[in-house]
Amino acid sequence: MRIFIDSADIEEIKKVKEYGLLDGVTTNPSLIKNAVRKLKEKGRKLDVESYIKYIFRVVGKKVPVSLEVVGQDYDEMIREGFMLWKKFKSCGNVYVKIPIDPCIEGKCNRKMDGIRAIKELSRRKVRVNCTLIFTPEQALLAAMAGANFVSPFVAREEDYIKKIKRKDNGIKSGIDLVAQIREIFNKQKVKNCEILAASVRDVRHFREVTLAGADIATMPLSVIEQLVKHYKTREGMKRFTEDIVPEYAKLVGYKKQ
Ligand code: E4P
């Protein structure tokens, strides 16, 4: 399992790096919006391009950083995808995020543009993270088109299932979505594409996507920090600390903290 931070906030990214847990970074337009708002609140001058270059400098050359296109048709996604690739490929390990289906609700007649864009970008050696995955079929088609990562949205799938009060076309939960993708990838011998569990909003999600066979989980900093917490761990620390005898403190050179 690899851990990515789901954030465009440089301070948060730095923290995960300091923890020694930074395997990658995922962003989306909403996360960029949060980071931009935070910078503006601090009164910082904003240049998004330099800011993203700064993220690449912090994470290092090999760590994957996903940047999302915002266009809603093939031509625009290809244009933006190449632009992001060209601008940042010399800075580090860019992944271009392409939605599996860029249509907004009903108003669209270019239903396969996501797949076409993945195919074209991957043909031209651009690494792709296919996003907004809510069915195993979407994941399989993205992988067949050449995506390097597929991002199933765990919590959003759970929210949706709660809302419709039934399974989502045979999918029981966000975790079940990841498990079904894993099973299909294994049975179909998909080797070129990793499952990047996204919308992982709590510790249970992390544990269960791990069990379901995700290769990577992307999470906000708050969830990453929750992964080591337990009431009994802290209670145990308190008791052990109370029991330190001076002789043992002297042996290990312990000074009261
Ligand atoms: C990842 O890149 C996704 O955009 C993200 O994990 C979505 O998470 P959310 O559903 O908590 O917004």
Side-chain angles (χ1 to χ4, degrees), residues 15-208:
K15 271 196 183 167
V16 182
K17 190 176 180 192
E18 274 163 31
Y19 300 154
L21 290 174
L22 187 70
D23 293 319
V25 178
T26 49
T27 68
N28 61 37
S30 313
L31 293 170
I32 297 276
K33 180 181 163 190
N34 292 345
V36 166
R37 197 197 49 221
K38 217 167 151 183
L39 285 171
K40 280 187 180 161
E41 279 167 7
K42 286 184 182 164
R44 301 253 183 93
K45 258 195 158 177
L46 190 74
D47 166 10
V48 179
E49 184 174 334
S50 324
Y51 183 76
I52 292 174
K53 284 185 174 158
Y54 183 30
I55 292 181
F56 278 106
R57 276 204 301 284
V58 166
V59 304
K61 285 256 177 194
K62 290 196 179 144
V63 171
V65 176
S66 292
L67 299 167
E68 190 156 343
V69 298
V70 291
Q72 292 122 41
D73 66 31
Y74 172 81
D75 291 332
E76 184 56 18
M77 288 192 293
I78 290 287
R79 191 193 63 73
E80 292 175 20
F82 273 118
M83 191 276 290
L84 289 168
W85 177 254
K86 279 195 197 132
K87 241 185 220 319
F88 300 113
K89 72 173 182 201
S90 61
C91 308
N93 194 1
V94 192
Y95 280 69
V96 173
K97 264 175 114 175
I98 300 287
I100 182 68
D101 176 7
C103 295
I104 298 175
E105 292 181 4
K107 35 180 189 169
C108 185
N109 57 4
R110 303 187 195 96
K111 293 191 180 67
M112 301 309 268
D113 278 13
I115 289 295
R116 290 176 58 222
I118 295 167
K119 196 140 196 145
E120 180 58 13
L121 289 169
S122 82
R123 189 182 70 80
R124 292 160 79 167
K125 309 281 179 247
V126 175
R127 285 182 287 275
V128 173
N129 172 357
C130 180
T131 191
L132 287 166
I133 295 286
F134 287 88
T135 75
E137 305 75 60
Q138 290 176 328
L140 181 61
L141 259 62
M144 287 162 62
N148 305 81
F149 294 153
V150 283
S151 293
F153 277 39
V154 173
R156 290 196 200 187
E157 177 70 299
E158 298 203 337
D159 292 345
Y160 182 61
I161 287 169
K162 239 180 252 161
K163 189 174 154 198
I164 61 176
K165 297 192 181 94
R166 55 174 164 77
K167 287 183 197 169
D168 176 18
N169 197 15
I171 295 156
K172 292 190 289 254
S173 67
I175 305 301
D176 189 35
L177 169 64
V178 174
Q180 290 198 29
I181 296 172
R182 176 79 284 155
E183 200 178 335
I184 289 176
F185 277 19
N186 289 351
K187 288 203 169 134
Q188 295 299 323
K189 301 193 175 27
V190 172
K191 298 217 186 321
N192 60 321
C193 184
E194 294 189 284
I195 303 171
L196 195 174
S199 191
V200 170
R201 296 199 196 134
D202 59 32
V203 171
R204 178 184 65 83
H205 285 152
F206 175 72
R207 182 193 317 138
E208 292 185 358

